[in-house]
Amino acid sequence: MATPEEFLEGKVVLIDKPLQWSSFQAVNKVKWSLKKHLGLKKIKVGHAGTLDPLATGLLIVCTGKFTKRISELQGMEKEYTGTFHLGATTPSYDLETEVNATFPTGHIDEKLIHDTLPQFIGEIDQKPPVFSAIKKDGKRLYEHARKGEEVEIATRKTTIHEFEITRIALPEVDFRVVCSKGTYIRSLAYDFGAALNSGAHLTALRRTKIGTFSVEDAISPEAFENRLEDHTA
């Protein structure tokens, strides 16, 4: 474990964000642990890329002078694994909101699923979910959405480097995707369902890699605190 001086100079801490935690909560836990166990009264701590509360996995947390590297780290490609549920959509494109529409799935088989994949590989146009933190007219999109306000959302270019189906157990489909910064996997779920002439929403998501950093090398926020505690005991 690094010294207080090393954390101030700058360290990258790989956190495996738990389900239901916000990225902000995870960063705060790291910051609180550093202050409590290393006696650091003041230290900068930030993360390089938000994960939704309903997602788990790799969160890069930078301390001290390394917070200046956050924008550089945010630009790296990311890998995710997860599950689409076919035959239904939700307003948030995931489990944050209730199902708002159902669609037939009887025509969907493994061949159709695999034949649909190629249209999502390479540069694609994607519309961010209305339940997202992007700002429109000075407010976050999710603030408009929760008030029931209609908002026109522009599509944006994103790149899907790899997209594979790892399990099919209809109505569930598991996937692995490698994509550029700014890709919404929830939108990918929604668009994939529409391309199957049905609907889909995201029911599980885990970020496994950011650039060369892997979740296999990450620890939970509690484990990070325990290591600090053991180190200073």
Side-chain angles (χ1 to χ4, degrees):
M1 184 58 70
T3 64
E5 293 73 26
E6 287 172 327
F7 276 112
L8 286 167
E9 272 303 302
K11 296 290 287 182
V12 168
V13 180
L14 302 183
I15 292 294
D16 187 349
K17 189 192 79 63
L19 188 67
Q20 300 291 359
W21 281 51
S22 70
S23 300
F24 182 72
Q25 281 175 299
V27 167
N28 266 4
K29 178 69 170 178
V30 170
K31 190 172 187 177
W32 178 85
S33 300
L34 289 169
K35 287 183 171 184
K36 180 184 178 184
H37 298 291
L38 297 185
L40 292 167
K41 290 183 179 177
K42 197 173 183 183
I43 183 170
K44 285 185 177 179
V45 183
H47 67 76
T50 303
L51 268 180
D52 291 336
L54 293 178
T56 66
L58 185 59
L59 193 69
I60 295 180
V61 177
C62 297
T63 75
K65 293 178 182 175
F66 273 24
T67 53
K68 293 176 182 174
R69 292 184 56 198
I70 282 176
S71 58
E72 165 204 335
L73 295 170
Q74 281 176 330
M76 297 191 294
E77 67 179 30
K78 298 167 179 66
E79 179 187 82
Y80 296 89
T81 60
T83 304
F84 299 152
H85 183 102
L86 303 183
T89 57
T90 71
S92 60
Y93 300 174
D94 65 3
L95 294 176
E96 184 186 341
T97 53
E98 298 292 323
V99 168
N100 65 345
T102 56
F103 302 85
T105 58
H107 64 286
I108 299 174
D109 57 17
E110 291 196 14
K111 183 178 185 303
L112 179 61
I113 289 169
H114 287 293
D115 286 351
T116 304
L117 274 180
Q119 63 186 274
F120 291 96
I121 297 172
E123 188 178 75
I124 62 170
D125 287 314
Q126 188 180 74
K127 188 175 283 191
V130 68
F131 280 80
S132 63
I134 296 169
K135 282 194 171 179
K136 172 85 173 182
D137 301 329
K139 285 199 295 188
R140 305 283 184 189
L141 285 181
Y142 61 74
E143 293 178 287
H144 291 288
R146 285 171 186 157
K147 288 181 179 177
E149 298 169 354
E150 291 287 327
V151 183
E152 187 62 39
I153 305 171
T155 59
R156 49 171 63 187
K157 298 283 186 188
T158 189
T159 303
I160 307 293
H161 301 289
E162 299 175 38
F163 185 19
E164 65 171 324
I165 301 301
T166 55
R167 180 184 73 104
I168 297 174
L170 295 174
E172 290 189 344
V173 174
D174 289 355
F175 65 89
R176 183 187 72 87
V177 65
V178 178
C179 55
S180 64
K181 171 191 173 184
T183 302
Y184 281 91
I185 308 301
R186 287 182 287 151
S187 293
L188 185 63
Y190 181 88
D191 294 341
F192 192 69
L196 292 170
N197 291 315
S198 183
H201 61 283
L202 190 65
T203 55
L205 184 65
R206 183 163 176 77
R207 185 156 66 197
T208 46
K209 289 181 183 175
I210 301 175
T212 57
F213 298 99
S214 171
V215 75
E216 292 177 4
D217 301 315
I219 57 175
S220 70
E222 289 92 344
F224 176 75
E225 185 192 359
N226 291 340
R227 283 193 187 180
L228 285 177
E229 197 170 15
D230 293 343
H231 183 69
T232 55

